[in-house]
Amino acid sequence: MTPQEIAVNLRPGDQTTFQLQVRQVEDYPVDLYYLMDLSLSMKDDLDNIRSLGTKLAEEMRKLTSNFRLGFGSFVDKNISPFSYTAPKYQTNPCIGYKLFPNCVPSFGFRHLLPLTDRVDSFNEEVRKQRVSRNRDAPEGGFDAVLQAAVCKEKIGWRKDALHLLVFTTDDVPHIALDGKLGGLVQPHDGQCHLNEANEYTASDQMDYPSLALLGEKLAENNINLIFAVTKNHYMLYKNFTALIPGTTVEILDGDSKNIIQLIINAYNASFEVSVEARSCPSRHTEHTFTLRPAGFRDSLQVEVTYNCMCGCSAGLEPDSARCSGNGTYICGLCECNPSYLGTRCECQEGENQSLYQNLCREAEGKPLCSGRGECSCNQCSCFESEFGKIYGPFCECDNFSCARNKGVLCSGHGECHCGECKCQAGYIGDNCNCSTDISSCRAKDGQTCSNRGHCVCGQCQCVEPGAFGDTCEKCPTCPDACSTKRDCVECLLLHSGKPDNQTCHHLCKDEVVTWVDSIVKDDQEAVLCFYKTAKDCVMMFTYVELPSGKSNLTVLREPECGAAPSAMTILLAVVGSTLLIGIVLLAIWKLLVTIHDRREFAKFQSERSRARYEMASNPLYRKPISTHTVDFSFNKFNKSYNGTVD
């Protein structure tokens, strides 16, 4: 730790600031326990840390050769309403969840790997893990933090080592009293409750631990807690660090890729220490105090001396007329004799004060000292408040009655002065919630809000109709970049590539133009654009957005134009096409006629086969001779005949 001893000389009201660098001695042993949220939302993170052990060991060996690594996981209490407890969810709480239908049952905390120097064991244990699913958004991570701190033997913390506990999550934690929702009214006892299988057994018996209990146990076991959380929860955990000594907070990428760098940053810490004397002690007094970062053995000794005398103190005027004869005039102020009060020592304790009370009102009709102090000898003596400091000639000001954002005074980015937030550099607004940093508004191409909106309070407000997205990068109805850069290219072609033309200079002010004979798309980030010119030629160019906000345009020197076809070629093509179409139509007609004839012949054959006469006879033929028989009777030669006549 540097420095280890420092002397400061303070004047009342002034503040002295100095830097304190903290890091472990070379090759100092380090124990790091990695505590991971295994709720369903951390699935991507689990995939990314499967080889974390190897990478982390390589980086930590640059700082120490005596490094050990452990691993544990948590989800939440396996009771309602924190988890799914219906019978069908007992073995798989992800049933019916289309995005991820299979996961393991919910659990409170599991100690999976004691601290070991075998990195392969860490990687192997991580690869075995599968995510689970709880019902509500907050997680039960503080149960796990407490068990990792107090179960020293099972975790394997060494006495003479730096203890780092890395807590990774993407959501808010449950804290004390949340357990009442599940019927848990017994406060946490701060003891170790891991069974033989290294599982937390009191998850359904005791409430979540309080922040005070966490701070006590972490300090008691000399453990540095590192919150590695996503950006949207950074401020919450930042506030936790003020309540839990020895903790730091770092922003975790959405997929945990930067976890190694966060741990290295926490290992090498830097602090800014401010010391202020609020009043002058008795003369010739010196004070000494000690600073020791949590988790470290070394300390800083600070020796404080006080400078309460001014250069003007030599010209004293005892019993000065300027002080009504009741005090000493020194450096433009009156130091009153005992029992006398007032700026000019004009009042005496115990006398009637009603004559001076009107001087303690800010305006006629307003209460004395704004109702927040006592009037003594035409001066207000402000009350003390548990919320902060009350001050001002009439006690009209304080440092706690300013606008808040999500319950945080001045959003944590400013100081409250007399009802108004004085914002830190980089923040504006009534409650200092508006960041002037535009880095979050920059699109991938480096442009602010993709040139389709304005960055307001660190967020893009899209003004281009149809534009949306975090950086207004999505806009189906907007003209694309090819269309916007085409004007520049056409202007340069019209003026033979001379950018010094005033019109071209305006259109190409954000472009760096390079002329080429052929377009070769070897840059994956380059976007290929082409359009048809008035002469039916094709003009091509590529562009790449530069970090400076400009674009690198690579443009063909001349548009690509095809040769015009000859008249003979066109004539032959037309005649050939006509003949080909005629032949095709004749072939189709012949095919249709053939099909029709075959169908008629088949029909004839079918009707012939169904005829009932023999093939040798003709049903239409009739004989030329016909025979008729007539019955009659007549007399011939007086003889009677009865018969037929041929």
Side-chain angles (χ1 to χ4, degrees):
M1 185 168 65
T2 306
Q4 294 192 349
E5 185 175 345
I6 191 171
V8 295
N9 185 268
L10 301 177
R11 182 181 291 276
D14 289 343
Q15 192 176 79
T16 298
T17 302
F18 57 89
Q19 292 289 331
L20 178 62
Q21 300 289 337
V22 179
R23 62 171 296 169
Q24 292 293 353
V25 296
E26 187 175 353
D27 221 25
Y28 193 84
V30 176
D31 288 346
L32 187 147
Y33 193 78
Y34 194 90
L35 192 56
M36 183 173 182
D37 177 5
L38 282 188
S39 59
L40 193 57
S41 57
M42 293 287 284
K43 180 182 180 299
D44 294 339
D45 305 70
L46 180 61
D47 295 336
N48 285 324
I49 69 162
R50 296 192 187 279
S51 59
L52 173 67
T54 303
K55 297 177 182 177
L56 185 56
E58 291 174 356
E59 292 296 325
M60 291 300 294
R61 285 195 183 102
K62 298 177 183 178
L63 304 173
T64 176
S65 61
N66 196 347
F67 174 67
R68 298 198 309 168
L69 192 61
F71 182 67
S73 61
F74 65 89
V75 182
D76 207 346
K77 296 181 181 296
N78 194 18
I79 59 175
S80 182
F82 311 118
S83 297
Y84 293 91
T85 57
K88 68 175 183 178
Y89 295 120
Q90 291 300 310
T91 58
N92 180 12
C94 292
I95 289 178
Y97 188 63
K98 295 181 180 180
L99 296 179
F100 197 78
N102 295 303
C103 58
V104 299
S106 181
F107 58 90
F109 166 62
R110 286 176 181 166
H111 168 47
L112 300 169
L113 179 69
L115 292 165
T116 177
D117 55 5
R118 294 183 56 195
V119 178
D120 293 341
S121 300
F122 180 91
N123 293 338
E124 181 181 354
E125 196 62 47
V126 172
R127 280 192 287 269
K128 294 179 183 176
Q129 302 311 307
R130 296 175 58 197
V131 294
S132 182
R133 185 187 183 198
N134 57 327
R135 182 185 292 271
D136 59 349
E139 320 292 2
F142 281 179
D143 269 342
V145 171
L146 185 62
Q147 294 303 297
V150 299
C151 298
K152 296 179 289 186
E153 290 76 14
K154 288 184 175 291
I155 302 297
W157 298 113
R158 293 176 291 181
K159 290 185 178 180
D160 297 326
L162 173 64
H163 301 159
L164 298 178
L165 177 57
V166 181
F167 177 87
T168 60
T169 185
D170 63 347
D171 221 316
V172 300
H174 279 298
I175 57 176
L177 301 181
D178 284 356
K180 288 187 175 182
L181 296 173
L184 304 179
V185 296
Q186 181 182 351
H188 205 290
D189 59 5
Q191 302 299 316
C192 179
H193 294 281
L194 296 183
N195 58 16
E196 295 300 324
N198 288 327
E199 293 190 356
Y200 179 46
T201 57
S203 181
D204 58 352
Q205 301 171 13
M206 289 187 290
D207 193 8
Y208 298 97
S210 65
L211 298 179
L213 182 60
L214 281 179
E216 176 187 341
K217 295 302 178 182
L218 290 170
E220 182 180 307
N221 295 284
N222 218 24
I223 294 175
N224 292 320
L225 177 61
I226 304 172
F227 289 125
V229 299
T230 49
K231 184 177 181 180
N232 52 331
H233 298 298
Y234 174 80
M235 282 306 303
L236 173 66
Y237 284 90
K238 182 69 174 177
N239 293 334
F240 285 159
T241 62
L243 303 173
I244 307 176
T247 60
T248 58
V249 59
E250 299 286 351
I251 296 178
L252 182 70
D253 285 349
D255 51 9
S256 295
K257 288 183 178 179
N258 66 331
I259 184 63
I260 294 178
Q261 189 58 45
L262 300 189
I263 295 172
I264 300 299
N265 293 344
Y267 183 83
N268 299 320
S270 175
F271 302 94
E272 186 176 87
V273 181
S274 298
V275 183
E276 178 184 359
R278 296 183 177 177
S279 61
C280 277
S282 59
R283 296 183 179 181
H284 307 297
T285 299
E286 295 183 359
H287 286 135
T288 301
F289 63 91
T290 301
L291 295 177
R292 184 177 69 86
F296 289 80
R297 295 176 177 272
D298 292 344
S299 60
L300 167 65
Q301 182 172 321
V302 182
E303 296 181 358
V304 182
T305 56
Y306 300 91
N307 184 4
C308 296
M309 302 296 292
C310 300
C312 58
S313 300
L316 302 180
E317 296 183 18
D319 299 325
S320 173
R322 302 182 186 184
C323 301
S324 307
N326 300 318
T328 301
Y329 186 77
I330 176 173
C331 296
L333 297 175
C334 288
E335 288 187 359
C336 299
N337 296 333
S339 76
Y340 285 93
L341 306 171
T343 55
R344 298 189 179 278
C345 307
E346 68 273 23
C347 301
Q348 188 172 12
E349 292 181 356
E351 67 179 350
N352 186 4
Q353 301 293 324
S354 59
L355 299 176
Y356 309 103
Q357 286 189 351
N358 285 334
L359 299 177
C360 294
R361 302 179 192 273
E362 186 177 7
E364 186 69 29
K366 288 196 173 183
L368 290 174
C369 299
S370 304
R372 303 196 294 180
E374 291 182 348
C375 183
S376 176
C377 190
N378 76 17
Q379 287 185 333
C380 287
S381 177
C382 302
F383 297 143
E384 292 184 357
S385 172
E386 60 180 325
F387 302 107
K389 180 182 178 181
I390 301 174
Y391 60 96
F394 306 100
C395 302
E396 74 279 11
C397 295
D398 60 59
N399 62 356
F400 53 84
S401 297
C402 291
R404 298 173 182 262
N405 180 34
K406 297 181 179 179
V408 180
L409 189 67
C410 298
S411 305
H413 303 309
E415 295 181 354
C416 181
H417 290 286
C418 203
E420 182 180 354
C421 286
K422 302 295 183 182
C423 302
Q424 299 171 356
Y427 291 91
I428 57 175
D430 293 340
N431 55 7
C432 303
N433 68 325
C434 185
S435 173
T436 59
D437 182 17
I438 64 172
S439 59
S440 58
C441 296
R442 294 196 183 278
K444 292 182 180 179
D445 58 5
Q447 296 179 337
T448 302
C449 298
S450 305
N451 279 342
R452 296 175 181 143
H454 306 296
C455 187
V456 180
C457 298
Q459 293 183 336
C460 284
Q461 291 185 357
C462 306
V463 296
E464 185 81 18
F468 64 98
D470 293 339
T471 57
C472 304
E473 73 281 6
K474 301 174 183 178
C475 187
T477 60
C478 296
D480 58 8
C482 289
S483 300
T484 58
K485 299 180 188 303
R486 173 179 171 178
D487 296 337
C488 169
V489 174
E490 288 185 335
C491 184
L492 292 175
L493 287 174
L494 181 64
H495 295 87
S496 302
K498 296 179 180 178
D500 54 351
N501 179 274
Q502 185 175 0
T503 303
C504 296
H505 180 75
H506 175 72
L507 293 174
C508 304
K509 62 180 180 179
D510 294 327
E511 318 296 344
V512 179
V513 182
T514 304
W515 297 93
V516 296
D517 294 324
S518 62
I519 295 291
V520 179
K521 194 170 184 309
D522 53 355
D523 187 354
Q524 294 183 352
E525 295 184 358
V527 179
L528 176 64
C529 303
F530 56 89
Y531 65 92
K532 200 172 184 180
T533 66
K535 297 181 180 180
D536 289 336
C537 298
V538 176
M539 185 62 192
M540 290 191 294
F541 63 92
T542 63
Y543 76 89
V544 178
E545 299 292 350
L546 301 175
S548 62
K550 293 191 174 184
S551 301
N552 190 1
L553 286 183
T554 303
V555 187
L556 279 177
R557 296 186 187 277
E558 295 292 339
E560 293 183 352
C561 301
S566 64
M568 182 60 68
T569 303
I570 296 175
L571 178 61
L572 292 175
V574 171
V575 172
S577 300
T578 304
L579 290 175
L580 180 61
I581 293 173
I583 293 172
V584 171
L585 291 176
L586 285 174
I588 294 174
W589 174 80
K590 180 62 177 176
L591 177 62
L592 293 175
V593 169
T594 302
I595 294 174
H596 179 267
D597 289 346
R598 288 185 178 181
R599 287 181 177 176
E600 290 296 323
F601 180 74
K603 182 179 179 181
F604 170 74
Q605 290 286 69
S606 175
E607 291 179 350
R608 182 180 178 186
S609 64
R610 292 197 300 270
R612 297 182 179 180
Y613 54 86
E614 295 182 358
M615 296 295 295
S617 61
N618 187 348
L620 301 178
Y621 176 76
R622 292 181 180 272
K623 292 180 181 182
I625 301 174
S626 60
T627 304
H628 301 275
T629 302
V630 180
D631 293 333
F632 65 92
S633 63
F634 64 90
N635 293 325
K636 185 179 182 182
F637 304 113
N638 296 322
K639 290 184 181 181
S640 298
Y641 293 89
N642 186 15
T644 61
V645 179
D646 293 331

